[in-house]
Amino acid sequence: MEIQVNDISKIYGTNESQVIALNHVSMTIFESDFISIMGPSGSGKSTLLHIISGLDKPSSGNVIYSSTDIHNGNDKKLSAFRRQRIGFIFQQFNLLPVLTARENIIMPLLLDKKKIDEPYLQELSSFLGLENRLSHLPHELSGGQQQRVAIARALIAKPDIIFADEPTGNLDSKSGSEVMKMLCNIREKMNKTLVIITHDPRIAEMADRRFTIIDGELAEVSAQ
Amino acid sequence: MKSYLSFAFKELQAQKVMASLILIAAILSSIMTTAIGQSLGILQTMRTEQAASLNGDRYATFHQMTEEQMLQLKNDNRLYDVGSLINVGYVKLGSSSLTLYAREYLDNALDAYPAINKVKKGRLPTSPFEIALPENALQYLGEDIDIGDTVELQEEISLMNGTLPPYSFSAEFVICGILESNYIGYSTGSLDAVLGEGTASALLPEDYLLYSTDFKTKDTAQFQNIIDKLANEIGLEKSNIQYNWVLLDALGISYEEAGTSDMDTGFSFMTFACIMVGTLVLFAAGLVIYNILKIAVTKRIKEYGTLRAIGSTRGQIYRVVSLQLLILCGMGIPIGLLIGALSAKAFLIAATGILNPDLFMANSTTELNTMIGNISSNNIRIYIVSVAITLLFAMLAAFPAARYASHVSPTVAMSGQRVKIKRRGRKAKTIHSFEAYYARLNLKRGRSRTAITILSLVMSITVFVSLQSFTSLLDTSSDVQDMSLGDYLVTNETVGIAPESIDKIRENEMIEDLSTTKLSVYTQDKNLILNCNRGNHSKLQA
């Protein structure tokens, strides 16, 4: 697995109100990479994540995922790509409030009409310390627990790569570091690629490859 | 949870107010479609039944036929319910304008005339020279006559083609039964007596022994074609074909002499009123569903964005939203069907009760209500159509919300919805009242939403006003009078009423309204050629 981001730009608006969110950005993500992208608000880091993960389309350039241009296909293809190859972790957790933790976790499989791999679900929930929380609704869980449910949901379909958009942004520092620890453990144990967006330098430093983005221009800080 | 679609059900459980409001809208609209569908079905059945019972359960009648021609019709496989009768003669009843027609019905031909064959006392004739008389003819035939008595009738019969002079004869008949009177006798000036089989051949010379045959055509679409072909085949003149326009109009069968009749005023008025009220209610319910669902979806747009981000397709989101409505319709429609079906008759009785029963070809409101009550309204087709219409409106109303949810960008899950505002007029103005200013801006920012809200307000008011004016229309006796068949009826079936006389009557200032019915009157010229003239039959309102 390899993701090639080739010269992508994203421009919002036209003429006078035109905003260049990404300016000719290129990068390559290799298998098992742990990448952090750091930048101030409005620097274009979320836009970059949206485009790499197939949530949004670039104005120009392309994203090649194992020799397929992910944006060159219909909505069904792109949805299937997100469902099967990608896991998301959001800053606001984004759990569906009417569903229990378990139902939230298995949702990507339900959408894909796949059978639930019960042993894997057990393994994930015990690893994330959620065994006794599976029948709880999101509002009955703490922030840290909710984010752990979200991590389980991101992993249930066994994707190649996990994208995390400020995963600790909504957590206190204790829960935040707990969540980060779990994420790192999982990445190592399951050999997943992880791309994390943050403006917390401590989190950025945990990554193997660190990028910064300012005014839509991406730069790699160091390669370890 | 077995499928992502369970999400729809859980969403509903979580949004009880939204679900209840939509459920109520679904129940109300299905009550309305069912009650109206049922009412329309009842009205149509009633109209057909009434038409058949009052003017004969037949599409057309061929008159003045020989036995051979009659048998040809009887054996024709394009026809059914074929019944023949012989006009034996007619008697003027004393000083009244009534004429008693004595007819012999062959086999089961009398079955087509439910208005005639209601035996009040005794039985129908079975052997020659037995007679069953209508009750209201008795007073003209002698004092205290009853079953078993003998009456002598001075009868006359003439042929329509006028090749022979009228034939007069006198005969004695034994009364075997008394028939119930019907009010058509008075409005058309004719009463019907039934003679036993064999009477005609015993009394009439062969030349006067002619048959009239009633029938229906199996193929109603080809009705006129079949009639023309049949007349051609058996060599019958056009003037001998009689169309039962009351039934043909009621069934919507097209025929040559179709005209506009006022017999169906009540039926078409009710049909129009039903459809109008139904459409308005459906629109109002549709707008309620649209608004509530759109608001509900907008409130949860981030959830739909999340679903999109974790890989649901647009179609899946569309199904989740539509399913929410379908679940509510699934609960609401059966309830609505039940209430609608139960209330349809009461609804129709209440609505028709204020109209003149004449309009529905009934004698009295009680008779009308009995008629409505007797009609079996469990027409499965009407239920299916009601469900289909309600579902169609509900799904149309849900479409914008479902489309909105399914087209949400998955980035909404992360960054929230960007609010785009188009605002003209950005010059700095003095703001007198911030509340009013901000309220106005808010209304302007969602122009389509504001338009829909105004439209739904207008719709609710329209439904209210139209129902209000509908009932007041029914309440106003003057309006009812406009539609009644008239206060006075002037009939002259022998010579008709000349157009000049009608104009004169119309000019009279005591006459408020006048309507005429055209009857076919045949006159003979010097060369004994028959001409068909349109006579007149007027109704007056003073």
Side-chain angles (χ1 to χ4, degrees), chain A residues 12 49-50 53-56 75-76 79-80 82-83 88-90 92 94-99 103 106-108 110-113 116 153 165, chain B residues 1-4 6-7 10-11 14 300 302-316 319 409-415 418:
Chain A
Y12 293 108
L49 186 81
H50 293 165
S53 59
L55 294 185
D56 204 355
D75 177 67
K76 262 191 183 161
S79 303
R82 287 199 295 264
R83 215 157 52 219
F88 273 111
I89 298 163
F90 307 94
Q92 315 265 358
N94 285 40
L95 299 176
L96 299 168
V98 293
L99 304 183
E103 288 164 347
I106 62 174
M107 195 41 123
L110 295 177
L111 289 171
D112 211 22
K113 299 188 179 87
I116 290 141
R153 176 176 70 183
D165 186 4
Chain B
M1 205 158 97
K2 293 252 161 59
S3 161
Y4 71 94
S6 315
F7 177 63
K10 291 179 197 290
E11 274 286 278
R300 316 250 154 174
K302 205 170 171 180
E303 290 176 29
Y304 294 110
T306 305
L307 277 171
R308 290 282 286 139
I310 63 172
S312 80
T313 60
R314 282 189 183 141
Q316 285 175 322
R319 284 192 281 281
S409 162
T411 58
V412 166
M414 296 188 181
S415 47
R418 275 164 159 261

Coordinates of all heavy atoms in Angstrom, one line a residue, chain A residues 12 49-50 53-56 75-76 79-80 82-83 88-90 92 94-99 103 106-108 110-113 116 153 165, chain B residues 1-4 6-7 10-11 14 300 302-316 319 409-415 418:
Chain A
Y12 N -11.1 27.6 -2.8 CA -12.5 27.9 -2.5 C -12.9 29.3 -3.0 O -12.1 30.2 -3.0 CB -12.8 27.9 -0.9 CG -12.6 26.6 -0.3 CD1 -11.5 26.4 0.5 CD2 -13.5 25.6 -0.4 CE1 -11.3 25.1 1.2 CE2 -13.4 24.4 0.2 CZ -12.2 24.1 1.0 OH -12.1 22.9 1.6
L49 N -6.4 16.6 4.8 CA -6.8 15.3 5.3 C -8.1 14.8 4.5 O -8.2 13.7 4.1 CB -7.1 15.4 6.8 CG -7.5 14.0 7.4 CD1 -6.2 13.3 7.7 CD2 -8.3 14.3 8.7
H50 N -9.0 15.8 4.3 CA -10.3 15.5 3.6 C -10.0 15.0 2.2 O -10.6 14.0 1.7 CB -11.2 16.7 3.5 CG -11.7 17.2 4.8 ND1 -12.3 18.4 5.0 CD2 -11.7 16.6 6.0 CE1 -12.6 18.6 6.3 NE2 -12.3 17.5 6.9
S53 N -8.2 11.5 2.1 CA -9.1 10.4 2.6 C -10.3 10.2 1.7 O -11.2 9.4 2.0 CB -9.5 10.6 4.0 OG -10.1 11.9 4.1
G54 N -10.4 11.1 0.7 CA -11.6 10.9 -0.2 C -12.9 11.5 0.3 O -13.9 11.2 -0.2
L55 N -12.8 12.4 1.3 CA -14.0 13.0 1.7 C -14.3 14.2 0.8 O -15.5 14.7 0.7 CB -13.9 13.6 3.1 CG -13.7 12.5 4.3 CD1 -13.7 13.2 5.6 CD2 -14.9 11.5 4.2
D56 N -13.3 14.8 0.2 CA -13.4 16.0 -0.6 C -12.6 15.8 -1.8 O -11.7 15.0 -1.9 CB -13.0 17.2 0.2 CG -13.6 18.5 -0.2 OD1 -14.3 18.5 -1.3 OD2 -13.4 19.5 0.4
D75 N -19.7 8.1 -6.9 CA -19.9 8.2 -5.4 C -19.9 6.8 -4.8 O -19.4 6.6 -3.7 CB -21.3 8.9 -5.1 CG -21.6 8.9 -3.6 OD1 -20.8 9.6 -2.9 OD2 -22.5 8.2 -3.2
K76 N -20.5 5.8 -5.5 CA -20.5 4.4 -4.9 C -19.1 3.9 -4.7 O -18.8 3.3 -3.7 CB -21.3 3.5 -5.9 CG -22.7 3.3 -5.5 CD -23.3 2.2 -6.3 CE -24.8 2.1 -6.0 NZ -25.6 1.4 -7.0
S79 N -17.5 5.8 -1.9 CA -18.0 5.4 -0.6 C -17.5 4.0 -0.2 O -17.1 3.8 1.0 CB -19.5 5.3 -0.7 OG -20.1 6.5 -1.1
A80 N -17.4 3.1 -1.1 CA -16.8 1.8 -0.8 C -15.4 1.9 -0.4 O -14.9 1.2 0.5 CB -17.0 0.9 -2.1
R82 N -14.0 4.4 1.1 CA -13.9 4.9 2.5 C -14.3 3.8 3.5 O -13.8 3.7 4.6 CB -14.9 6.1 2.7 CG -14.4 7.4 2.0 CD -15.2 8.6 2.6 NE -16.6 8.6 2.3 CZ -17.1 9.2 1.3 NH1 -16.4 9.9 0.4 NH2 -18.4 9.2 1.1
R83 N -15.3 3.0 3.1 CA -15.9 2.0 4.0 C -14.8 0.9 4.3 O -14.7 0.4 5.4 CB -17.1 1.4 3.3 CG -18.2 1.0 4.1 CD -19.5 0.9 3.3 NE -19.4 0.2 2.1 CZ -19.9 0.5 1.0 NH1 -20.6 1.6 0.9 NH2 -19.9 -0.2 -0.1
F88 N -11.7 6.4 10.2 CA -11.6 7.8 10.6 C -11.8 8.0 12.1 O -12.6 7.3 12.7 CB -12.8 8.5 9.9 CG -12.5 9.1 8.6 CD1 -13.1 8.5 7.5 CD2 -11.6 10.1 8.4 CE1 -12.9 9.0 6.2 CE2 -11.3 10.6 7.2 CZ -12.0 10.1 6.1
I89 N -11.0 8.9 12.6 CA -11.2 9.3 14.0 C -11.4 10.8 14.0 O -10.5 11.5 13.4 CB -10.0 8.8 14.9 CG1 -9.9 7.3 14.8 CG2 -10.2 9.3 16.3 CD1 -8.6 6.8 15.3
F90 N -12.5 11.2 14.5 CA -12.8 12.6 14.5 C -12.5 13.3 15.8 O -12.6 12.7 16.9 CB -14.3 12.8 14.2 CG -14.8 12.1 13.0 CD1 -15.3 10.8 13.0 CD2 -14.7 12.7 11.7 CE1 -15.8 10.2 11.9 CE2 -15.1 12.1 10.6 CZ -15.7 10.8 10.7
Q92 N -14.5 15.4 17.3 CA -15.8 15.4 18.1 C -16.3 14.0 18.3 O -17.5 13.9 18.6 CB -16.8 16.3 17.4 CG -16.4 17.6 16.8 CD -16.6 18.7 17.8 OE1 -17.2 18.5 18.8 NE2 -16.2 19.9 17.5
N94 N -17.9 12.0 16.9 CA -19.0 11.7 15.9 C -19.6 10.3 16.0 O -19.7 9.6 15.0 CB -18.4 11.9 14.5 CG -18.3 13.4 14.2 OD1 -17.9 14.2 15.0 ND2 -18.6 13.8 13.0
L95 N -20.0 10.0 17.2 CA -20.7 8.7 17.3 C -22.2 9.0 17.1 O -22.6 10.1 17.3 CB -20.5 8.1 18.8 CG -19.1 7.8 19.1 CD1 -19.0 7.3 20.6 CD2 -18.5 6.7 18.2
L96 N -22.9 8.0 16.6 CA -24.3 8.3 16.4 C -25.0 8.1 17.7 O -25.0 7.0 18.3 CB -24.9 7.3 15.3 CG -24.2 7.4 14.0 CD1 -24.5 6.3 13.0 CD2 -24.5 8.7 13.3
P97 N -25.6 9.2 18.2 CA -26.1 9.2 19.6 C -27.2 8.2 19.9 O -27.4 7.8 21.0 CB -26.6 10.6 19.8 CG -26.8 11.2 18.5 CD -25.9 10.5 17.5
V98 N -28.0 7.8 18.9 CA -29.1 6.8 19.1 C -28.6 5.4 19.2 O -29.4 4.5 19.5 CB -30.2 7.0 18.1 CG1 -30.9 8.3 18.2 CG2 -29.7 6.8 16.7
L99 N -27.4 5.1 18.8 CA -26.9 3.8 18.7 C -26.0 3.5 19.9 O -25.3 4.4 20.4 CB -26.1 3.5 17.5 CG -26.8 3.8 16.1 CD1 -25.9 3.5 15.0 CD2 -28.1 3.0 16.1
E103 N -23.2 -1.0 18.5 CA -23.8 -0.7 17.2 C -23.0 0.4 16.4 O -22.8 0.3 15.2 CB -25.2 -0.2 17.4 CG -26.2 -1.3 17.8 CD -27.5 -0.8 18.4 OE1 -27.6 0.4 18.7 OE2 -28.4 -1.6 18.6
I106 N -19.9 -1.4 14.9 CA -20.1 -2.3 13.7 C -20.7 -1.6 12.5 O -20.9 -2.2 11.5 CB -21.0 -3.6 14.1 CG1 -22.4 -3.1 14.6 CG2 -20.3 -4.4 15.2 CD1 -23.3 -4.3 14.8
M107 N -21.1 -0.3 12.7 CA -21.8 0.4 11.6 C -21.1 0.3 10.2 O -21.7 0.0 9.2 CB -22.0 1.9 12.0 CG -22.9 2.6 11.1 SD -24.4 1.7 10.7 CE -25.7 2.7 11.3
P108 N -19.7 0.4 10.1 CA -19.1 0.3 8.8 C -19.4 -1.1 8.2 O -19.5 -1.2 6.9 CB -17.6 0.5 9.1 CG -17.6 1.3 10.3 CD -18.8 0.8 11.1
L110 N -22.1 -3.0 8.8 CA -23.5 -3.0 8.4 C -23.7 -2.3 7.0 O -24.4 -2.7 6.1 CB -24.3 -2.3 9.4 CG -24.4 -3.0 10.8 CD1 -25.3 -2.2 11.8 CD2 -25.0 -4.4 10.6
L111 N -23.0 -1.1 6.9 CA -23.1 -0.4 5.6 C -22.5 -1.2 4.5 O -23.0 -1.0 3.3 CB -22.3 1.0 5.7 CG -23.0 2.0 6.7 CD1 -22.0 3.2 6.8 CD2 -24.3 2.5 6.1
D112 N -21.5 -2.0 4.8 CA -20.9 -2.8 3.7 C -21.6 -4.2 3.6 O -21.2 -5.0 2.7 CB -19.4 -3.0 4.1 CG -18.5 -3.1 2.9 OD1 -19.0 -2.6 1.8 OD2 -17.4 -3.7 3.0
K113 N -22.6 -4.4 4.4 CA -23.4 -5.7 4.4 C -22.4 -6.9 4.6 O -22.5 -7.9 3.9 CB -24.2 -5.8 3.1 CG -25.2 -4.7 2.9 CD -26.1 -5.0 1.7 CE -27.1 -3.9 1.6 NZ -26.7 -2.8 0.8
I116 N -20.3 -9.8 10.9 CA -19.5 -9.3 12.0 C -18.5 -10.4 12.5 O -18.9 -11.5 12.8 CB -20.4 -8.8 13.1 CG1 -21.1 -7.5 12.6 CG2 -19.6 -8.4 14.3 CD1 -22.5 -7.4 13.0
R153 N -14.5 1.7 16.0 CA -15.2 1.8 14.7 C -14.3 2.0 13.5 O -14.6 1.5 12.4 CB -16.2 3.0 14.8 CG -17.0 3.3 13.6 CD -18.0 4.4 13.7 NE -17.4 5.7 13.8 CZ -18.0 6.8 14.0 NH1 -19.3 6.8 14.1 NH2 -17.4 8.0 14.1
D165 N -8.3 13.2 12.9 CA -8.3 14.7 12.9 C -8.4 15.2 14.3 O -9.4 15.2 14.9 CB -9.5 15.1 12.0 CG -9.6 16.6 11.8 OD1 -8.6 17.3 12.2 OD2 -10.6 17.1 11.2
Chain B
M1 N -28.6 -5.4 16.2 CA -28.9 -4.7 15.0 C -28.3 -5.5 13.8 O -27.2 -5.8 13.7 CB -28.1 -3.3 15.1 CG -28.7 -2.2 14.2 SD -28.4 -0.6 14.8 CE -27.0 -0.2 13.7
K2 N -29.2 -5.8 12.8 CA -28.9 -6.6 11.7 C -28.5 -5.8 10.5 O -27.8 -6.2 9.6 CB -30.0 -7.5 11.4 CG -30.3 -8.6 12.4 CD -29.9 -10.0 12.0 CE -29.7 -10.9 13.1 NZ -30.9 -11.1 13.9
S3 N -29.1 -4.6 10.4 CA -28.8 -3.8 9.2 C -28.7 -2.3 9.5 O -29.2 -1.9 10.6 CB -30.0 -4.0 8.2 OG -30.0 -2.9 7.3
Y4 N -28.0 -1.6 8.7 CA -27.9 -0.2 8.9 C -29.3 0.5 8.9 O -29.4 1.6 9.5 CB -27.0 0.5 7.8 CG -27.6 0.5 6.5 CD1 -28.3 1.7 6.0 CD2 -27.6 -0.5 5.6 CE1 -28.9 1.8 4.8 CE2 -28.2 -0.5 4.3 CZ -28.8 0.7 3.9 OH -29.4 0.7 2.7
S6 N -31.8 -0.3 10.6 CA -32.3 -0.1 12.0 C -32.1 1.2 12.5 O -32.8 1.7 13.4 CB -31.7 -1.2 12.9 OG -31.6 -2.4 12.3
F7 N -31.1 1.9 12.0 CA -30.7 3.2 12.4 C -32.0 4.1 12.3 O -32.2 5.0 13.1 CB -29.6 3.8 11.6 CG -29.2 5.2 11.9 CD1 -28.7 5.6 13.1 CD2 -29.3 6.2 10.9 CE1 -28.4 6.9 13.4 CE2 -28.9 7.5 11.1 CZ -28.4 7.8 12.4
K10 N -34.3 3.7 15.1 CA -33.8 4.2 16.4 C -33.8 5.7 16.4 O -34.1 6.4 17.4 CB -32.4 3.7 16.6 CG -32.3 2.2 17.0 CD -31.0 1.7 17.2 CE -30.9 0.2 17.1 NZ -31.6 -0.5 18.2
E11 N -33.6 6.3 15.2 CA -33.8 7.8 15.0 C -35.2 8.2 15.4 O -35.4 9.2 16.1 CB -33.5 8.2 13.6 CG -32.0 8.4 13.3 CD -31.5 9.7 13.9 OE1 -31.7 10.7 13.3 OE2 -30.9 9.6 15.0
A14 N -35.9 8.2 19.0 CA -35.2 9.3 19.7 C -35.9 10.7 19.4 O -35.7 11.6 20.2 CB -33.7 9.4 19.2
R300 N -30.0 17.0 12.4 CA -29.1 15.8 12.5 C -28.1 15.7 11.3 O -27.6 14.6 11.1 CB -29.9 14.5 12.5 CG -31.1 14.6 13.4 CD -30.9 13.8 14.6 NE -31.7 14.3 15.7 CZ -31.9 13.8 16.9 NH1 -31.3 12.6 17.1 NH2 -32.6 14.3 17.8
K302 N -25.2 16.5 10.9 CA -23.8 16.0 11.2 C -23.8 14.5 11.3 O -22.8 13.9 10.9 CB -23.4 16.6 12.5 CG -21.9 16.7 12.6 CD -21.4 17.5 13.8 CE -19.9 17.3 13.9 NZ -19.3 18.0 15.0
E303 N -24.9 13.9 11.8 CA -24.9 12.4 11.8 C -24.9 11.8 10.4 O -24.2 10.8 10.2 CB -26.2 12.0 12.5 CG -26.2 12.3 14.0 CD -27.5 11.9 14.7 OE1 -28.1 11.0 14.3 OE2 -27.8 12.6 15.7
Y304 N -25.6 12.5 9.5 CA -25.6 12.0 8.1 C -24.3 12.2 7.5 O -23.8 11.3 6.8 CB -26.8 12.6 7.3 CG -28.1 12.2 7.8 CD1 -28.9 13.1 8.5 CD2 -28.6 10.9 7.7 CE1 -30.2 12.7 9.0 CE2 -29.8 10.5 8.2 CZ -30.6 11.4 8.9 OH -31.8 11.0 9.4
G305 N -23.6 13.3 7.9 CA -22.3 13.5 7.4 C -21.3 12.5 7.9 O -20.4 12.0 7.1
T306 N -21.5 12.1 9.2 CA -20.6 11.0 9.7 C -20.8 9.7 9.0 O -19.9 9.0 8.6 CB -21.0 10.8 11.2 OG1 -20.8 12.1 11.9 CG2 -20.1 9.8 11.9
L307 N -22.1 9.4 8.8 CA -22.4 8.2 8.0 C -21.7 8.2 6.6 O -21.2 7.2 6.2 CB -23.9 8.0 7.9 CG -24.6 7.4 9.1 CD1 -26.1 7.5 8.9 CD2 -24.2 5.9 9.3
R308 N -21.8 9.3 6.0 CA -21.1 9.4 4.7 C -19.6 9.2 4.8 O -19.0 8.6 4.0 CB -21.4 10.8 4.1 CG -22.8 11.0 3.6 CD -23.2 10.3 2.3 NE -22.6 11.0 1.2 CZ -22.0 10.4 0.1 NH1 -21.9 9.1 0.1 NH2 -21.5 11.1 -0.9
A309 N -19.0 9.9 5.9 CA -17.6 9.8 6.1 C -17.2 8.3 6.3 O -16.1 7.9 5.8 CB -17.2 10.7 7.2
I310 N -18.0 7.6 7.1 CA -17.5 6.2 7.4 C -18.0 5.2 6.3 O -17.9 4.0 6.4 CB -18.0 5.7 8.8 CG1 -19.5 5.6 8.9 CG2 -17.3 6.5 9.9 CD1 -19.9 5.0 10.2
G311 N -18.5 5.8 5.2 CA -18.6 5.0 4.0 C -20.0 4.6 3.5 O -20.2 3.8 2.6
S312 N -21.0 5.3 4.0 CA -22.4 5.0 3.4 C -22.5 5.7 2.1 O -21.9 6.8 1.8 CB -23.5 5.5 4.4 OG -23.7 6.8 4.2
T313 N -23.3 5.1 1.2 CA -23.5 5.7 -0.1 C -24.7 6.7 0.0 O -25.4 6.7 1.0 CB -23.9 4.6 -1.2 OG1 -25.1 4.0 -0.7 CG2 -22.8 3.6 -1.4
R314 N -24.9 7.5 -1.0 CA -26.0 8.4 -1.0 C -27.3 7.6 -0.9 O -28.2 8.0 -0.2 CB -26.0 9.2 -2.3 CG -25.0 10.3 -2.2 CD -25.1 11.3 -3.4 NE -24.1 12.3 -3.3 CZ -23.4 12.7 -4.3 NH1 -23.7 12.4 -5.5 NH2 -22.4 13.6 -4.1
G315 N -27.4 6.6 -1.7 CA -28.6 5.8 -1.7 C -29.0 5.2 -0.3 O -30.1 5.2 0.1
Q316 N -27.9 4.8 0.5 CA -28.2 4.3 1.8 C -28.8 5.4 2.7 O -29.7 5.1 3.5 CB -26.9 3.7 2.4 CG -26.5 2.4 1.8 CD -25.2 1.8 2.3 OE1 -24.2 2.6 2.5 NE2 -25.1 0.6 2.5
R319 N -32.3 6.0 1.8 CA -33.2 4.9 2.3 C -33.4 5.1 3.8 O -34.5 4.9 4.2 CB -32.6 3.6 2.0 CG -32.7 3.1 0.5 CD -32.4 1.7 0.3 NE -31.0 1.4 0.2 CZ -30.3 1.7 -0.9 NH1 -30.8 2.1 -2.0 NH2 -29.0 1.4 -0.9
S409 N -22.2 16.8 2.4 CA -20.7 16.4 2.2 C -20.2 15.7 3.4 O -20.5 16.1 4.5 CB -19.9 17.7 1.9 OG -18.6 17.4 2.1
P410 N -19.4 14.7 3.3 CA -18.9 14.0 4.4 C -18.0 14.9 5.3 O -17.8 14.6 6.5 CB -18.1 12.8 3.9 CG -18.0 13.0 2.4 CD -19.1 14.0 2.0
T411 N -17.5 16.0 4.7 CA -16.7 16.9 5.5 C -17.5 17.5 6.6 O -16.9 18.0 7.6 CB -16.0 17.9 4.6 OG1 -17.0 18.7 4.0 CG2 -15.1 17.3 3.6
V412 N -18.8 17.6 6.5 CA -19.7 18.2 7.5 C -19.4 17.5 8.8 O -19.5 18.1 9.9 CB -21.1 18.1 7.0 CG1 -22.1 18.3 8.2 CG2 -21.4 19.0 5.9
A413 N -19.1 16.2 8.7 CA -18.9 15.4 10.0 C -17.8 16.0 10.8 O -17.7 15.9 12.0 CB -18.6 13.9 9.6
M414 N -16.8 16.5 10.1 CA -15.6 17.0 10.8 C -15.7 18.5 11.1 O -15.4 18.9 12.2 CB -14.4 16.8 9.9 CG -14.1 15.3 9.7 SD -12.6 15.1 8.9 CE -12.5 13.4 8.8
S415 N -16.1 19.3 10.1 CA -16.0 20.7 10.3 C -17.4 21.4 10.5 O -17.4 22.5 10.8 CB -15.4 21.3 9.0 OG -16.0 20.8 7.9
R418 N -21.1 24.6 6.7 CA -20.8 26.0 6.4 C -22.1 26.7 6.1 O -22.9 26.2 5.3 CB -19.9 26.1 5.2 CG -18.4 25.9 5.5 CD -17.7 25.7 4.2 NE -16.3 26.0 4.4 CZ -15.7 27.1 4.0 NH1 -16.5 28.1 3.4 NH2 -14.4 27.4 4.2

